[in-house]
Amino acid sequence: MRTKTLLIISLLLTGFLYHSCSDLEAEVHSEITPESFYQTDVQLAAAAAAAYTPLYGYWGLFEEQDITTDQSTCPIRTNGGWNDGGLWPRLMRHEFNERDFVNGEWTKWFGGVASCNRLIEIFEANVGEDAPIISELRALRAFYYFKLLDLFGNVPIETEFAEADAAPSQSSPSEVFTFIEQELIESIPNLREEKNIETYGKMNKWAAYTLLADLYINAERFDAGPHYQEAAGAANEVINSGAYSLESGYFKNFRVENEDSNENIFVVPYDKNNARGLVIWSGALNQSARPTYGLVGQPWGGFSIQEDFYNAFDENDKRRGMFIVGQQYTGEAQPIWTDTDGFFYNNPQPEFELVDCTEDFNRALPEELEEKPIDCNIFITPEISLTSARGIAYYREGARYGKYEIELNSGQRNYSNDFAIYRFAHVLLMRAEGLWRQDNGSAEALNLVNQVRARAGLDALTVLSEDDLYWELKKELAMENHARPITIRFGHWEDAWFLKEANPGELFKRFYPIPQLQLQSNVNLVQNPGY
């Protein structure tokens, strides 16, 4: 836990530096000025920490990256739960509009861009344009722009802060791609190579190379032409660094204390008390989970896994341990996570069935819904029947998110698991895809995919198809906010799946609409085509 503690101290120090007292009569004993503060690596890192704070909203991307794909879902539940004015049905049907939800992602990532621009100007004035901290901030700014490019496509490029354009015009996806590529290529030589406490959760050289590989593997989406050779090359830089390796147990990367993972490359170091934002269980666990895990509040029971995605996992695929299904018990059954098998009950005897959850969730439901109130014998099914009146799903239907270890009796709604934005397994699969798209008989591509499959307990493939690549990426990276770009890249975004009809004529929906609030505040912004 020492790594996370140091990072949080850095964030708190940043807050102290940037929120000063306004009492003009206070006696000044010492003074922090730019000339006296930006002197050591510790001081520079403390100041730069402010640029990373938007990452603590990273989990919120699942609304755009998971719920809108063939992976997760949020059907209307009994008694009208999870309708929210039709928001979730619209998202799942790809009926996107400029008002529903997209403004939060726009402001979050452009807020990160603005923080980087501000700090780059401060550091250039005080420590010089060639300081490594400036390269780190440029690479982080490239990450924020990659999120904006992925979501919206046509976005403004702004690298100034003090003299920023109040109403910048948009750049095309290919222009934003070129900007991000150049920023990374110019920054990487000056980034730190160490994998240690000082670079944990920061943009070091290997995180930047991974981001570059991700940019290249998606290049065709952004009208930049194929860059598969470059994607394979950038991924190989990370592989050959020797800094990272596959963990023997898949779930070690998602435990509460996962700071020592050899696989996680770029993470958001969440902490339930001081660095909050990872709140998976609130929306994604059944209401009966409160006595199971000793939660401080009752889950809302909405988000779950689509039945077809759950069934896509082989019976012997160890990654199935990321799903919570079947009979649910109280805490006496000892719910645990292991590095290898994920979630299971250690001692699920009949006497440990839920004994009293009616106080938390006992609604009087209309008779036509044919579902008793949530009672004391909850069995979660991966099937979502929609057989009740009005096509509404029961709360007990749909596998629940168990990939990230839930700290028992934590006393908080927030998780302390560090969230991996990029993992070494992703790097292996990006290199495999880059090689395969150049030569679909590539022996190395096949070997890389089989490395990932072996860790999951699966037999080796003898040949590698596009479908194999697609499903290994989707399964390996499930619930890590990569589902949408993978689905788009492999040409499945317009397919039909649960609660969504095929929409082959709506390729424009591969980008979200520019938020209405942004269009109103900047006359130079133009709505994305099709909306």
Side-chain angles (χ1 to χ4, degrees):
M1 296 293 288
R2 182 168 178 262
T3 299
K4 188 181 294 186
T5 301
L6 290 174
L7 284 167
I8 292 168
I9 291 173
S10 177
L11 286 170
L12 294 175
L13 177 59
T14 303
F16 170 76
L17 291 172
Y18 285 98
H19 298 278
S20 58
C21 179
S22 59
D23 184 357
L24 300 181
E25 301 301 321
E27 182 179 359
V28 177
H29 297 281
S30 63
E31 189 175 41
I32 296 177
T33 66
E35 292 76 16
S36 64
F37 179 71
Y38 302 111
Q39 301 298 313
T40 69
D41 289 342
V42 172
Q43 291 171 337
L44 292 173
Y52 286 88
T53 54
L55 293 178
Y56 289 93
Y58 191 78
W59 168 248
L61 260 177
F62 83 98
E63 295 178 6
E64 291 84 1
Q65 305 290 55
D66 271 20
I67 297 299
T68 56
T69 74
D70 58 353
Q71 176 175 292
S72 298
T73 190
C74 188
I76 299 174
R77 300 285 179 171
T78 48
N79 210 25
W82 290 94
N83 189 353
D84 294 331
L87 169 63
W88 303 109
R90 286 195 296 275
L91 291 185
M92 291 182 291
R93 293 194 298 261
H94 288 191
E95 296 174 359
F96 309 133
N97 64 56
E98 66 274 18
R99 299 179 303 278
D100 266 344
F101 68 106
V102 289
N103 190 62
E105 295 304 320
W106 180 285
T107 57
K108 176 167 53 185
W109 304 125
F110 268 117
V113 169
S115 291
C116 290
N117 289 345
R118 175 178 63 85
L119 289 164
I120 287 171
E121 290 183 2
I122 290 173
F123 292 147
E124 284 180 341
N126 289 278
V127 297
E129 296 182 357
D130 298 327
I133 194 67
I134 292 175
S135 296
E136 179 186 331
L137 289 168
R138 288 179 67 186
L140 179 61
R141 182 175 64 188
F143 174 81
Y144 291 144
Y145 264 113
F146 182 57
K147 296 294 106 180
L148 291 162
L149 173 62
D150 170 54
L151 294 169
F152 302 105
N154 301 282
V155 297
I157 297 175
E158 179 58 75
T159 60
E160 303 290 332
F161 183 79
E163 298 182 6
D165 190 341
S169 298
Q170 289 152 294
S171 297
S172 69
S174 62
E175 290 171 333
V176 182
F177 172 93
T178 300
F179 168 75
I180 297 171
E181 178 189 32
Q182 180 177 348
E183 287 290 288
L184 291 172
I185 289 174
E186 292 180 1
S187 299
I188 282 173
N190 208 24
L191 292 174
R192 298 184 63 172
E193 297 184 1
E194 301 91 345
K195 177 197 170 194
N196 56 28
I197 290 175
E198 294 177 2
T199 62
Y200 187 78
K202 301 293 182 67
M203 188 60 73
N204 68 3
K205 178 175 289 189
W206 315 120
Y209 265 124
T210 306
L211 171 58
L212 186 60
D214 204 6
L215 176 72
Y216 282 143
I217 207 72
N218 287 285
E220 288 190 290
R221 287 183 52 206
F222 310 129
D223 297 326
H227 282 67
Y228 297 118
Q229 182 177 353
E230 294 89 341
N236 211 35
E237 294 287 345
V238 182
I239 295 169
N240 290 338
S241 73
Y244 306 93
S245 60
L246 286 180
E247 286 288 351
S248 59
Y250 176 75
F251 292 96
K252 182 175 182 179
N253 305 304
F254 314 106
R255 301 294 296 274
V256 172
E257 296 186 12
N258 59 345
E259 300 93 316
D260 61 344
S261 166
N262 290 319
E263 187 169 338
N264 292 343
I265 297 171
F266 186 42
V267 305
V268 185
Y270 285 106
D271 179 87
K272 66 181 182 181
N273 295 308
N274 299 305
R276 300 176 178 178
L278 192 60
V279 288
I280 301 171
W281 68 257
S282 292
L285 293 185
N286 183 271
Q287 288 88 337
S288 63
R290 182 174 182 176
T292 301
Y293 309 108
L295 305 177
V296 296
Q298 179 192 358
W300 309 326
F303 305 120
S304 61
I305 297 297
Q306 293 183 32
E307 180 181 347
D308 286 346
F309 186 69
Y310 174 87
N311 290 333
F313 286 73
D314 294 344
E315 289 286 345
N316 58 338
D317 191 332
K318 293 181 179 180
R319 294 171 299 195
R320 282 176 65 111
M322 71 176 76
F323 303 123
I324 298 174
V325 294
Q327 183 66 57
Q328 302 301 291
Y329 303 92
T330 57
E332 287 84 352
Q334 302 169 41
I336 64 172
W337 278 256
T338 73
D339 290 353
T340 302
D341 299 313
F343 169 76
F344 69 97
Y345 292 103
N346 191 35
N347 189 20
Q349 302 300 315
E351 60 265 30
F352 296 138
E353 291 182 3
L354 294 180
V355 293
D356 185 10
C357 59
T358 54
E359 181 179 349
D360 287 328
F361 190 76
N362 190 4
R363 297 178 178 175
L365 301 177
E367 290 183 4
E368 66 268 20
L369 296 180
E370 299 178 358
E371 180 181 28
K372 295 178 181 179
I374 296 293
D375 52 20
C376 302
N377 186 19
I378 304 303
F379 191 96
I380 294 176
T381 68
E383 299 81 21
I384 304 177
S385 64
L386 296 182
T387 56
S388 57
R390 301 187 302 278
I392 292 173
Y394 299 138
Y395 277 98
R396 63 175 179 265
E397 294 180 329
R400 302 300 167 141
Y401 296 11
K403 183 169 186 173
Y404 301 88
E405 180 186 9
I406 302 170
E407 182 181 0
L408 305 182
N409 305 302
S410 72
Q412 295 286 351
R413 282 186 173 271
N414 290 263
Y415 286 35
S416 288
N417 318 54
D418 292 346
F419 190 94
I421 296 174
Y422 286 126
R423 294 190 288 115
F424 190 67
H426 192 179
V427 172
L428 295 180
L429 292 174
M430 283 194 290
R431 176 159 175 81
E433 183 182 346
L435 294 172
W436 184 89
R437 290 192 182 275
Q438 298 173 81
D439 172 14
N440 59 20
S442 169
E444 183 183 350
L446 177 63
N447 177 61
L448 291 169
V449 171
N450 280 334
Q451 286 182 43
V452 175
R453 287 174 59 85
R455 197 255 302 270
L458 298 173
D459 294 336
L461 298 171
T462 56
V463 294
L464 184 62
S465 69
E466 185 174 25
D467 237 26
D468 294 327
L469 268 172
Y470 176 69
W471 283 109
E472 282 307 314
L473 281 159
K474 291 292 286 286
K475 293 172 185 177
E476 178 68 24
L477 303 177
M479 292 178 260
E480 297 181 44
N481 285 344
H482 298 293
R484 174 179 157 272
I486 294 169
T487 307
I488 294 173
R489 189 167 75 245
F490 281 80
H492 294 299
W493 183 245
E494 291 75 34
D495 292 355
W497 53 71
F498 180 69
L499 298 178
K500 175 187 174 292
E501 296 180 356
N503 56 328
E506 297 180 334
L507 298 182
F508 68 91
K509 290 184 177 179
R510 296 184 175 193
F511 291 127
Y512 289 117
I514 305 298
Q516 183 179 42
L517 289 174
Q518 304 305 322
L519 293 170
Q520 292 172 340
S521 62
N522 181 353
V523 297
N524 289 325
L525 292 183
V526 178
Q527 184 55 274
N528 280 335
Y531 291 103

